[in-house]
Amino acid sequence: MAQPKEFEQIILDIEDGIATLTLNRPAKMNAFTGKMMYEMIEAFDITDADDSVRVVIVTGSGDRAFCAGADLSEGAKTFDYDKRAEDGEAGRTDDVDIQRDGGGRVTLRIFDSLKPVIGAINGAAVGIGVTMQLPMDIRIASDNARFGFVFNRRGINPEAASSWFLPRLVGISQALEWCYSGRVFPAQEAMDGGLVRSVHPQAELMDVARAMAREIADNTAAVSTTLTRQMMWRMLGASHPMEAHIVDSAAIYSRGKTQDAKEGVMSFLEKRKPVYPVKVSDGMPNFYPWWDEPKFKWIGDKD
C-alpha cells in the first residue's frame, strides 16, 4: 500500500486502484481544522492526477467518529474567522482566505473530483462531519454512526454549500427538518431519509466500501466514469433536459470512436474481462469541461 505523501491530520493510502483517505485525529474524534481542510484538498489533487486511482474512499480513524464537526478548542472564537486571523492562524492570509468557509472549500473540491467518491461513515458525523459527505457519490454508514446538522444549535448556519447539496439529495422538507432542529439522529434515520445508501455492522463497513470500489475499478472505463460523475452532478442545476441531451450527444459521439468503446464491445462479446486503455490524464474528450466555473465573490458587509 502506497502513501504518496505523509500528512499530519489525514492519511492517504493507494492500493490496487483504490485510494483511502482517512481523517486521522482519533483523540479529537477526527474534528475538522483548517489544516485538515488544506490536506484534504491536496489529497484530492493527488488522486485526480494519479491515473492508477479509480475510486476514492473517505472514512475516519477509529470506531467512535467519522468527524465530530469543527474543532471547538478555540472556544468562543471558533467561528470568528477575523479574530482567528488576527491571532495568526496559518493559512488565513488575505481577505478571501478569511471570508471563505473552509468546509465549502472542501466540498467544492470533492464536487470537482475526477474519480468517484465513496463515504464510509464509521461513527459520529455532525456539523462539517456530515456536510463534507454531501458531494460524495455514495455514502454508507456503520450501525453506530450518528448524524447531525447542528449549526442552528451553535448559533451559526449550515455551511459547506450544504444548502445546495442537501435538498438535492434528500428533498427540501427533510433537509429543512434536520437543519431547523439541529438534532442528532441515528444511521437508520439517515438511510430512511436518503442521506446514506445502507447501514452495516461496524466491522464490515470498510469491506463493503472496498467491494463497491472494486466493482467500479475492475469493470468500467476510467474516462467514462469521470464523464458520468460530472454529467450527473452538473445536470442537477440544468434548466431543461436539452442541456443533458447536448452533452450526452457530444460525449457518446466522442467516446464511441475510442479504443475504450471497441474494448467494451469486444470484451463483452468474447466473454472476458475488459482492459480499457484510455487514461483520464490525457483521454478526456475535447469539449471537456463544457461548463464555466463560477468564481467566489464576497457578498457580506452590505450597508
Side-chain angles (χ1 to χ4, degrees):
M1 184 175 292
Q3 290 188 357
K5 179 174 179 176
E6 185 173 338
F7 293 99
E8 292 182 23
Q9 297 189 3
I10 69 170
I11 299 170
L12 180 64
D13 292 315
I14 299 175
E15 183 177 25
D16 197 18
I18 300 171
T20 303
L21 191 167
T22 305
L23 310 180
N24 190 39
R25 302 183 72 215
K28 298 288 188 179
M29 297 182 71
N30 304 319
F32 185 80
T33 68
K35 181 71 171 178
M36 184 181 286
M37 174 195 76
Y38 285 113
E39 291 189 350
M40 290 185 72
I41 291 170
E42 185 175 355
F44 276 95
D45 290 343
I46 291 170
T47 57
D48 270 3
D50 187 342
D51 280 323
S52 75
V53 174
R54 295 297 318 281
V55 184
V56 180
I57 299 172
V58 182
T59 193
S61 181
D63 57 8
R64 296 175 61 208
F66 171 74
C67 173
D71 189 328
L72 303 180
S73 61
E74 295 290 343
K77 68 176 183 180
T78 295
F79 300 111
D80 188 340
Y81 296 155
D82 285 334
K83 178 61 177 173
R84 291 175 65 169
E86 289 171 7
D87 291 347
E89 180 177 288
R92 297 193 180 274
T93 57
D94 56 36
D95 285 346
V96 171
D97 279 327
I98 292 170
Q99 293 160 349
R100 288 192 68 178
D101 160 44
R105 295 174 73 171
V106 168
T107 57
L108 289 171
R109 182 60 190 87
I110 297 173
F111 178 76
D112 285 336
S113 174
L114 298 177
K115 315 298 171 68
V117 184
I118 297 171
I121 315 308
N122 59 301
V126 300
I128 180 59
V130 65
T131 54
M132 76 163 66
Q133 303 171 29
L134 302 182
M136 299 178 191
D137 304 303
I138 304 166
R139 291 161 300 282
I140 61 175
S142 62
D143 50 12
N144 69 324
R146 298 292 183 270
F147 302 81
F149 298 88
V150 298
F151 309 100
N152 290 10
R153 295 193 180 204
R154 304 292 180 267
I156 53 171
N157 54 272
E159 39 63 273
S162 56
S163 58
W164 190 91
F165 286 108
L166 187 59
R168 286 168 167 79
L169 294 176
V170 305
I172 187 65
S173 182
Q174 180 66 87
L176 287 173
E177 192 273 320
W178 281 338
C179 291
Y180 283 160
S181 69
R183 63 184 177 82
V184 175
F185 52 91
Q188 184 63 48
E189 182 175 338
M191 186 175 74
D192 293 343
L195 182 60
V196 301
R197 169 195 178 272
S198 52
V199 177
H200 307 273
Q202 175 82 20
E204 299 174 11
L205 182 69
M206 288 304 294
D207 288 340
V208 174
R210 291 189 188 101
M212 295 173 70
R214 283 260 61 88
E215 182 74 17
I216 298 168
D218 292 347
N219 298 292
T220 67
V223 171
S224 296
T225 302
T226 295
L227 273 174
T228 299
R229 184 177 200 275
Q230 296 300 324
M231 289 162 66
M232 291 285 186
W233 275 111
R234 294 182 186 279
M235 286 304 157
L236 289 176
S239 61
H240 190 281
M242 179 57 78
E243 294 184 47
H245 178 54
I246 290 168
V247 176
D248 294 350
S249 298
I252 202 75
Y253 178 81
S254 174
R255 291 256 74 210
K257 296 187 290 184
T258 67
Q259 289 301 311
D260 277 355
K262 295 179 176 65
E263 173 65 7
V265 172
M266 294 310 298
S267 62
F268 174 76
L269 294 176
E270 294 168 3
K271 296 181 173 56
R272 59 175 174 81
K273 184 177 178 179
V275 180
Y276 294 108
V278 186
K279 298 177 180 179
V280 172
S281 60
D282 58 10
M284 297 300 289
N286 59 12
F287 67 84
Y288 180 92
W290 63 88
W291 61 88
D292 294 323
E293 197 70 34
K295 303 297 183 182
F296 178 79
K297 181 180 180 181
W298 180 246
I299 63 169
D301 301 329
K302 286 188 175 182
D303 294 331

